[in-house]
Amino acid sequence: MSKENFVSRFISKASRNFLSLKEIKNFDIGSPKKILIVRQHNQFGDLLATVPLFRAVKETFPQSKITVIVSPQNYYAVVKNDYIDEVLLFDKKKLLNIFYVKQFLKKIRSRFDVCIMPATVSLSYTSGLICRLSNSKIRIGPSSLNGKKNPFDYFFDRKVILNWAKHPDAHVSDFELELVRPFGINTNSFRTVINFNEDDTEIVDEFISRLKLKQNQKLIGLHIGAGKSNNRWAVEKFVELIHRLNLEFDSKFYITGSKKDKNEINYFKKKITIKIAYFLDKKITELAGLISKSDLFITNDTGVMHVAGSTDTPQVSIFGPTNPFNWAPIGSQKYFIKKSDFIDDVSVNDVFDLCEIILTNKKQTNKNYD
C-alpha cells in the first residue's frame, strides 16, 4: 500500500469513528434563521448554477441569513449576489497557517441552524468535513450521487439520494434543488443572477464609449476560450463567423477572455482582418455588465456562458460533449447548438443562421453611445 493510500484510509477511518452523525429521517427543519451553504470546490460556472438554490432558500425563509463558503477561485461568481448575506473564503493553501485555521473554524463554529452541502457531478470530502465541523443543528447532504454511495455521508444527519439518471435532461439548477425540496425549499425560477454596481457600470460604459458605436449599430461579444479543450469551437470558425456577421450587419465586435485563453486569443488576432475590441481579465461583475448592454453574445460551453446566461441579452452557446439540456442557460432568447459530442461538427453556417434570426428579429432600441 502506498503512503498516500495509507494516509487517506487512516483519515477516512478516523473521521468516520469520531465525526459520524446518526441519521434523522425527519424533513421538518422548522424556520431556520442562520443557514450555512458549503460550495467551495466548484468552478465558477457550477457555482453560478447554484444561484437558484440560494434563491429558493431565501424565498422559503425570507428572514434567514445565508452564509456561503466558497474558494478564492470561484468567489467572484457570487460576491455581490443579493440572495447571499455573507461570503466566507476557504483557502486550502493556507491550511498550514494555524492563525488562519483558527479564524476559519471560529467563523463556522458560530451557531448555524442548518448547513447544506449541494452536489452536481462530484462529491467533496472537504466540503462535507466543513459542514460537519460547523456548529449546525442540522446538516443536509447527499447519501449518494448518480447511483454511487457517498463515502462520507456520515457527516450529515439528513440525507438525500441524488440521481441525475432519473431525469437525465434535467437542468443543473433543477437537479441541485433535489437536495432541498424534501425540506420544503423550492423556487419556480432557475435563472442565475449576477449583480453589478455603479463602479462596474462605469468601467463598461467607458469601454463602450471607446468603440464609438453609431446609432442602431449592433454590439456583439464572443468568448472563444474554454477550460476544457473538447468545449472549444475552432478559432478559425469564430474568425469566419465574425467576418460573415460583419458583412451582413453593421456591428462592433469584442472578445472576452483571461490569461487562460491566451493561446486562443493570440491565434485569433493573427487570423482576424477587421478591427476587434478586447475585454480581457475583467471581473465577472464587469463582464456581466458589458454583456447586458450587448445585442448578442456567442460563447463556447464554459463558465462565461453562465455569466452571459445571467443577463437578458440574446445568446448562442455552442456545445460539444456536454448535455446542453443540463447546462445551457435558461430564459428567453437563450439558444444553444449541438450536433454531436465533437464540437466542431457545428458549422459556421449553423451559428450564423441562428445569429441572423436573432439579429433581424430583435426589436430596435434607442441606445446611443455616441
Side-chain angles (χ1 to χ4, degrees):
M1 182 187 298
S2 69
K3 182 178 179 181
E4 290 79 8
N5 286 339
F6 175 79
V7 172
S8 177
R9 290 184 65 178
F10 175 80
I11 292 174
S12 177
K13 185 175 181 179
S15 62
R16 181 180 290 276
N17 288 339
F18 294 104
L19 298 175
S20 290
L21 293 174
K22 181 180 179 180
E23 183 177 3
I24 299 175
K25 296 185 178 181
N26 182 351
F27 295 121
D28 183 4
I29 61 174
S31 301
K33 300 298 182 185
K34 293 184 65 180
I35 299 173
L36 178 66
I37 301 176
V38 186
R39 207 69 169 106
Q40 58 82 30
H41 72 288
N42 293 101
Q43 296 179 336
F44 80 86
D46 298 325
L47 184 57
L48 281 174
T50 311
V51 169
L53 188 146
F54 303 148
R55 179 189 293 112
V57 172
K58 205 66 169 178
E59 288 178 355
T60 307
F61 306 112
Q63 301 304 316
S64 64
K65 177 183 177 181
I66 299 177
T67 299
V68 178
I69 295 179
V70 296
S71 71
Q73 292 74 38
N74 68 12
Y75 84 97
Y76 45 82
V78 295
V79 69
K80 296 176 183 178
N81 191 285
D82 285 342
Y83 302 117
I84 299 172
D85 299 283
E86 181 183 22
V87 174
L88 294 182
L89 287 183
F90 174 72
D91 191 346
K92 291 183 178 180
K93 294 180 180 179
K94 295 183 179 180
L95 289 181
L96 296 180
N97 184 326
I98 296 178
F99 177 76
Y100 170 79
V101 173
K102 287 179 65 175
Q103 288 295 108
F104 180 78
L105 289 174
K106 182 179 180 181
K107 290 177 181 178
I108 67 171
R109 294 295 294 172
S110 62
R111 192 64 172 171
F112 290 97
D113 297 306
V114 177
C115 180
I116 302 171
M117 193 201 85
T120 50
V121 297
S122 64
L123 296 164
S124 167
Y125 174 88
T126 304
S127 291
L129 180 61
I130 292 172
C131 192
R132 175 62 181 92
L133 294 177
S134 70
N135 190 10
S136 301
K137 297 177 184 177
I138 296 170
R139 298 172 179 86
I140 299 172
S143 61
S144 64
L145 178 63
N146 298 330
K148 184 178 180 180
K149 178 177 168 50
N150 181 357
F152 50 87
D153 67 341
Y154 51 83
F155 286 146
F156 313 109
D157 53 59
R158 315 293 169 100
K159 307 174 187 180
V160 179
I161 297 172
L162 298 179
N163 193 347
W164 224 327
K166 289 184 177 180
H167 306 284
D169 287 336
H171 194 267
V172 58
S173 298
D174 189 10
F175 177 73
E176 287 202 2
L177 288 170
E178 288 295 294
L179 181 67
V180 295
R181 283 191 177 113
F183 306 93
I185 302 172
N186 203 4
T187 182
N188 293 322
S189 175
F190 298 152
R191 285 288 302 274
T192 190
V193 174
I194 297 176
N195 301 103
F196 43 90
N197 58 24
E198 292 181 1
D199 292 336
D200 301 316
T201 302
E202 184 177 342
I203 290 172
V204 169
D205 289 343
E206 198 173 301
F207 175 81
I208 292 176
S209 68
R210 293 198 298 270
L211 299 180
K212 301 187 183 303
L213 278 171
K214 300 175 183 177
Q215 184 71 28
N216 294 325
Q217 196 171 29
K218 299 183 185 302
L219 179 61
I220 301 175
L222 303 96
H223 188 81
I224 64 175
K228 300 175 182 177
S229 59
N230 290 340
N231 290 6
R232 295 183 204 133
W233 202 43
V235 173
E236 293 91 341
K237 293 191 173 187
F238 276 108
V239 171
E240 182 182 345
L241 176 65
I242 291 175
H243 285 150
R244 289 186 60 181
L245 289 171
N246 185 59
L247 288 173
E248 185 71 23
F249 300 98
D250 186 15
S251 306
K252 289 290 181 74
F253 300 90
Y254 66 87
I255 298 294
T256 63
S258 65
K259 294 181 179 68
K260 295 179 181 179
D261 308 307
K262 180 180 178 181
N263 291 337
E264 288 75 31
I265 291 173
N266 286 341
Y267 185 65
F268 174 85
K269 288 179 177 179
K270 293 178 182 178
K271 295 292 182 178
I272 198 73
T273 60
I274 63 173
K275 188 175 181 180
I276 301 288
Y278 296 89
F279 197 70
L280 307 178
D281 297 312
K282 300 297 183 180
K283 296 178 182 176
I284 293 302
T285 49
E286 295 167 355
L287 182 56
L290 175 58
I291 296 173
S292 72
K293 293 195 173 188
S294 303
D295 293 282
L296 174 63
F297 195 79
I298 306 162
T299 175
N300 288 319
D301 167 24
T302 187
V304 173
M305 176 185 72
H306 298 286
V307 177
S310 72
T311 73
D312 292 327
T313 296
Q315 174 178 350
V316 175
S317 303
I318 307 169
F319 276 79
T322 313
N323 184 347
F325 293 105
N326 296 151
W327 294 98
I330 292 175
S332 175
Q333 297 269 50
K334 301 297 180 182
Y335 306 93
F336 66 79
I337 300 177
K338 176 182 172 115
K339 285 294 192 65
S340 72
D341 286 347
F342 182 53
I343 193 169
D344 280 328
D345 279 346
V346 176
S347 69
V348 174
N349 279 340
D350 293 328
V351 182
F352 176 82
D353 289 345
L354 180 53
C355 292
E356 186 176 38
I357 292 171
I358 294 170
L359 292 170
T360 53
N361 289 346
K362 183 175 173 61
K363 294 180 180 178
Q364 294 297 314
T365 60
N366 292 322
K367 290 186 294 185
N368 189 345
Y369 301 115
D370 290 343

